[in-house]
Amino acid sequence: MNRVILMGRLTRDAEVRYSQGENATAVARFTLAVDRRFRRSNPTGGDEQTADFINCVAFNKTAEFMERFGRKGTKFVLEGRIQTGSYTNKDGQRVYTTDVVADSVEFAESKNASGGSEYGSAPSAPAPSGAAGDGFMNIPDGIDEELPFN
């Protein structure tokens, strides 16, 4: 089974291109900085957060989503698969690649959560009518009897 789930921040804006031809396909390339679970001690005595920088690619609707919202510093959760490949560069050398092909990408935090950070902010959908300040809809009292499950 080849499944990957990542959560990280974009290192730069997603780069989106469209294929040529009758059925143009959107292709987005981007890099996620994914924090590791542990910290490494540095020579000055403090702890240093380490991250992996993972190359990702998305196609079609997912690529269009990244074109619209994929800005540097935005935190995303990505689900996809690892794909390896190779090509010969202009110097005749064989180059090997490893990418995560994104099947789905979602925001990992709200606009408010990232708004004051150094990473910028992600666009968010407008709050539904009747939404509380925390982004969740207020549910009226006494509605429990109408719900199909308990």
Side-chain angles (χ1 to χ4, degrees), residues 16-147:
V16 180
R17 296 186 178 174
Y18 287 84
S19 66
Q20 299 296 317
E22 195 174 302
N23 297 325
T25 301
V27 180
R29 294 198 169 275
F30 52 97
T31 302
L32 278 182
V34 178
D35 287 334
R36 293 182 181 171
R37 287 186 166 225
F38 60 89
R39 292 181 182 263
R40 171 174 62 184
S41 295
N42 63 27
T44 61
D47 283 344
E48 171 181 324
Q49 181 73 42
T50 56
D52 292 305
F53 297 88
I54 301 172
N55 295 323
C56 304
V57 62
F59 298 95
N60 300 319
K61 294 289 185 191
T62 306
E64 291 171 6
F65 174 82
M66 293 306 295
E67 180 177 35
R68 186 169 178 197
F69 300 114
R71 300 291 171 255
K72 178 180 178 178
T74 306
K75 193 173 191 178
F76 289 105
V77 172
L78 174 152
E79 185 175 349
R81 60 186 168 82
I82 294 176
Q83 179 174 290
T84 59
S86 64
Y87 64 92
T88 304
N89 68 11
K90 62 183 177 184
D91 299 328
Q93 297 174 328
R94 195 72 161 163
V95 177
Y96 295 93
T97 62
T98 302
D99 294 307
V100 172
V101 178
D103 295 329
S104 68
V105 178
E106 298 177 15
F107 291 109
E109 65 186 3
S110 69
K111 183 177 179 179
N112 293 340
S114 65
S117 75
E118 64 185 272
Y119 299 108
S121 62
S124 63
S129 61
D134 60 2
F136 291 98
M137 182 179 279
N138 292 322
I139 298 176
D141 293 332
I143 198 168
D144 294 339
E145 297 80 34
E146 298 177 29
L147 295 176

